[in-house]
Amino acid sequence: MSPVTEVSGHQKPLPITKEAIVFSIDEKKAKDGAPPAPEIQPILPVYDNYSNGEKDGDNDDVIIVTGADAATHLLPLRDDGEPALSFRSIVLATCLSAFQAVMYQIYTFKPTMITIGGTFIVLIAYFLGKAWAAVLPRGDRLATRWREKGGQGKTPFWISVATFINPGPWNLKEHAICAITATSASNSAASVMVFAAQDLFYDLPISATTVVLSVISIGLFGYGICGMMRPIAVWHVDAVYWSTLPTVKTLQGLHWQDVKDSKPLRWFWYSFVGMFFYEFFPAYIWPWLNAVSIPCLAAMHATGEKAAVLRNLFGGSVNNEGLGLFTLSFDWQYLTSFSTSLPLPLQAHAALGYLVCFAAMLGIYYTNAWDSKSQPFMSTRLRSEDGSAYPVAKVFIGGVLSQEALKKYGIPRLTGSFAYAMFMANAAIGALVAHCFLFWGGDVVRAYKSAKSGRHSDRHHAHMAKYYKETPWWWYITILVLSFVLGLIVVTTQNITLPVWAYIISLLLGIFIAPLSTLLYSRYGNGIATNNLSKMLAGLILPERPIGNMYFAAWSHNVISNAVSLSNDLKMGEYLKIPPRVMFLTQVYGTILGGFINYAVMISIVGSNRKLLRDSDGNSSWSGATIQSYNTNATSWALAKYLYKTGGRYQMVPIGLGIGAAAVAVHRIIAYFKPRIGRFSLHDINMPQFIQYAGYIPYNASQTCVLLSQVVAGFFVQFYLRNYRPRIFKDYSYLITGAFDGASLSALFILSFAVFGAGGPSVPFPTWWGNNSEGYYDLCPVAE
């Protein structure tokens, strides 16, 4: 039975029960001069014996294909009307934001990186909130006891204080506020990397003004764009953000289901416990489980050229080993719910794209295109003519290009596979722009017209618009103007080697690409990597200025990534029925707070370990590898005009932008005259995604052992379960994969401190055939 929402006249409020839920008057949306808003009494649906209130669809056998299907049958409309912004939610959100920001920044300078986010933060917030509600005196219980003893009228002050601190059970909206604020806090990390590199490698002092204003400007400009994109990127029914659904379903399951009565929730905890203990094997004891390759086992004793060819084809257990053909991974830390949550069309685009990428990489290398055989088969680093690593530090002395050294060491080289990946990345960006205009342009116009007229295609947003006050447009415009002015103050008064005109170009690039990238991400769950475009353009218009390049990328690409991330969080807020103005305040708060905490921790670490981080490989406690790599990347892009100039070896790389756009134009013409071939619609083809995956491996997935398992897992969930086991797909798939995410990250967090060197000296597991630490973990042959 579908839920029915009845709006009655003025009547006595009902208590919050399973049968009727009442929204408090201060959370309702009322127009000026109108009578008080009526009580809202949603009649909850009839549930089966295990769902305990989560299910919202009217048919277990409905196959979810479109965004409208997901909104209707996968994501419940339930809104319990609890307060989202409370004292404890703010305190815990602040603590979790600080925890995530501090840990991220510390491990930027550690020998071993750890991942903190997603379901891991959700579970930490869940246990902290439950503990707060259980340990501290609860205001609702104290008030009940006081009234049972004859208390009348206004409750005593001490009960009011207890209610303010701990009002009642830890609820879904408070929990979601903690997770979303912590996520927002991580959005400023990239800008802090700029400050760290400038402080460590260049003789340019960093003032407090630079830091404070840059953090606010870079962090919030993307949020301003996010607000302007809401009709198409948040309120539209096709803006599903598929990859965030495991987190949404985990939050709903933890609060709307009870372990004793809910079979899905019991399976969540069974899966969590099982994966937690299992993850210690592939992550530490038995790494071979991450790269099970029968061809490598069969060829493990090969030598010479044969070993090199076999490794190129079948190796994939470490970065840039090989293509990883027919290799299976059984390590969930690399598979993740991301690979299983993406819709079936994207799974198909990825699978076909990988096949094209395999063929192209082999063809380029073995036909010696771009003189590929003089370089390694796979590498993301700049190379010299003889195939050795390019001496970036010797060419950029003190961060400034030395023409004399450039003549001595020559123009750097790229491996053939990496040059191909760069070309395809640019082609995907060109295709993204063309696809959004040629295929979705009309939909964007209709979405804004519908928003202006108050018509909403997504029932979740229709509910939000009816019962909650929307964030005014001028709030986001104010954020945009303020961010622009603050950034302008930085570039005009601080020595960051970024001219005002370049600053404006960087923002215009972000403003242009951000809506397109967000539109694609919202509909497919995965977007197009646009960071190369920012860096390449910076290198072309600001040659030989690595610091300027860093700031250019921060104000262009980071604007894009922040817009996507914050739009994703806004949609999560709609799914979980968090008031829009509360979302605005918490996202702004988290973004600014995270930036300052990241910077404070960075200054402390860099100030105490400057020489070690800058000039050495580090020790068991600290390592400058990440920041050195970031600086090397920036300096290499400062050579863009030499690498990609007309007539140069890699001139096709920037031309990829036009080729990608042309491919979409041809696709649009064909689809116009021949929209379908049999039952297949040509409009279901997404050239930006296909092109991206057709060049994805050399740059984005150099550890190729996981690709086949990701494709198999994705098709199992999105094709088999979705089409042939729809009830299992709706009730279990997102919840179970969310449990796997949280469990694997929990195990890795413990391992990082215990044995991976995060909390002291690393303790490697003894070498055996399942832990071939002296060679390749997949036991592929090592070429001499």
Side-chain angles (χ1 to χ4, degrees), residues 425-483:
N426 283 336
I429 295 171
L432 167 68
V433 175
H435 190 94
C436 288
F437 280 99
L438 297 179
F439 281 89
W440 292 338
D443 195 27
V444 171
V445 173
R446 287 189 294 272
Y448 277 90
K449 288 182 178 179
S450 295
K452 186 176 181 180
S453 64
R455 292 180 288 108
H456 307 292
S457 57
D458 186 348
R459 67 177 189 147
H460 293 276
H461 180 65
H463 174 92
M464 299 296 290
K466 186 174 183 180
Y467 299 120
Y468 297 98
K469 290 183 179 180
E470 186 54 70
T471 306
W473 291 94
W474 69 265
W475 287 19
Y476 290 101
I477 294 173
T478 302
I479 286 285
L480 277 174
V481 174
L482 177 64
S483 300

Side-chain angles (χ1 to χ4, degrees), residues 19 71 153 175 181 204 244 291 343 376 432 461 547 625 632 704 742:
E19 288 75 26
H175 190 179
T181 307
L204 286 175
T244 203
L432 167 68
H461 180 65
I547 297 177
T632 299
T704 53

